[in-house]
Amino acid sequence: MAGSETAAGAAPDVVKILVAGGFGVGKTTLVGSVSEIAPLRTEEPLTLAGLDVDDLAGIEEKRSTTVALDFGRITVGDDLVLYLFGTPGQQRFWFMWNDLAIGALGAVVLLDVRRPQSSFAAIDFFERRGIPFVVAANGFHGEHPYPPEEIREALALPDEVRVLLCDARERTSSRDVLIALVDQLIAAAAE
Amino acid sequence: MSEGDAQGRLVRPFALTGGRTRPSRADFTLITTVTAVDPPPERAPRGQPEHARILRLCARPVAVAELAALLDLPVSVVVILLSDLLEAGRITARAPHPVSRTVADLDLLKKVREGLGRL
Ligand SMILES: Nc1nc2c(ncn2[C@@H]2O[C@H](COP(=O)(O)OP(=O)(O)OP(=O)(O)O)[C@@H](O)[C@H]2O)c(=O)[nH]1
Ligand SMILES: [Mg+2]
């Protein structure tokens, strides 16, 4: 198509990583702590057309609803920009991730170990679609009652999925979560 | 928030896009980068104020999601406005880096890894 190749000037190459997990696990906090811009938010009206009846359970009584996406940006090179997208926390909007997941390098699933079930849907989603992900336990109040290996076992995660502890409020900790994901991708690519 | 507000929010984007509810081009994803063509093409049609706002915001390359947030408009509406501008030759669009699940792009991953390491 005309316009997609030509004269884009200094337009950078762009990639994205998703930050998923249950309601209130710290997705927006992680995006904000590592982003070079204040996290931005965009509201998207949900299109209900083309969805299975099952998808609509619980929202059929609403005429319209919106989904909010949080995102941040990290310039990782002269001509390479990484966008982070915090997915909607409400489980009933999981089908939104289909669109979001297209073209993502991979995903971070944040986990609150006090209520891990809230992140099961996210793990299932990425597993089923073969989208690579790491699991990061966000220690509220800096507390990490379980070591990574115990978390891996409890969640029945395969060996190649990295599990780590983090503090989503800390820039370096959030950065390390992203690095773990990219290292995992590199390890898989080198195989 | 009053009911009037809620209705206003629903109606406004619709009015902005002249009643069209679908983008005329599928060229735009959340992370497609758009850049205003400078200088603008001769005899460029005069657009709506929102077109002019978009052109100002993308004087330097900017992603569609960022534009939507800056304009405080839904992405779907911004995409329609961008389609107009693309058709009028007033912006260029750069697609995101294609990501394949079967063939990994090791060079790209290493670049991302290095960039994160510098943070
Ligand atoms: N003490 C503590 N609080 C945190 C931490 N991470 C996030 N919070 C707080 O927990 C709340 C929820 O965090 P968010 O980042 O908004 O969570 P979210 O996953 O984006 O939430 P939704 O988008 O609503 O699903 C906020 O009030 C944060 O300030 C943490 O590591 N420690
Ligand atoms: Mg959030």
Side-chain angles (χ1 to χ4, degrees), chain A residues 45-170:
Chain A
L46 266 190
T47 2
L48 302 181
L51 292 170
D52 292 343
V53 178
D54 281 355
D55 295 336
L56 302 177
I59 55 172
E60 59 273 80
E61 74 283 2
K62 284 189 159 190
R63 265 207 234 104
S64 71
T65 186
T66 58
V67 158
L69 292 173
D70 293 308
F71 63 97
R73 182 209 315 139
I74 305 172
T75 301
V76 287
D78 289 345
D79 54 353
L80 185 59
V81 172
L82 167 65
Y83 279 93
L84 302 175
F85 283 92
T87 60
Q90 300 99 313
Q91 278 201 17
R92 63 182 191 274
F93 294 144
W94 63 268
F95 46 82
M96 271 290 296
W97 302 352
N98 260 333
D99 277 356
L100 254 192
I102 295 169
L105 289 179
V108 171
V109 175
L110 276 180
L111 189 76
D112 180 345
V113 291
R114 299 168 302 179
R115 42 186 191 92
Q117 331 73 255
S118 76
S119 292
F120 286 179
I123 293 173
D124 288 346
F125 177 89
F126 296 121
E127 250 176 6
R128 242 182 277 126
R129 280 166 185 74
I131 295 165
F133 64 97
V134 296
V135 172
N138 183 25
F140 280 72
H141 311 292
E143 283 170 24
H144 288 291
Y146 306 104
E149 275 320 304
E150 244 174 83
I151 295 170
R152 173 195 304 287
E153 229 167 88
L155 298 178
L157 295 169
D159 287 346
E160 66 269 18
V161 174
R162 301 196 180 189
V163 179
L164 62 164
L165 310 177
C166 76
D167 184 333
R169 297 164 299 178
E170 292 291 329

Side-chain angles (χ1 to χ4, degrees), chain B residues 14-71:
Chain B
F14 192 72
L16 262 185
T17 54
R20 279 170 304 137
T21 54
R22 282 168 171 279
S24 55
R25 309 270 295 251
D27 286 356
F28 300 100
T29 72
L30 285 174
I31 56 170
T32 297
T33 311
V34 297
T35 313
V37 170
D38 185 28
E42 271 175 53
R43 293 192 297 133
R46 182 175 268 288
Q48 296 164 10
E50 276 72 17
H51 288 127
R53 277 185 78 199
I54 289 179
L55 288 170
R56 279 195 298 277
L57 289 170
C58 67
R60 297 180 57 104
V62 59
V64 170
E66 256 180 271
L67 265 181
L70 293 169
L71 293 162

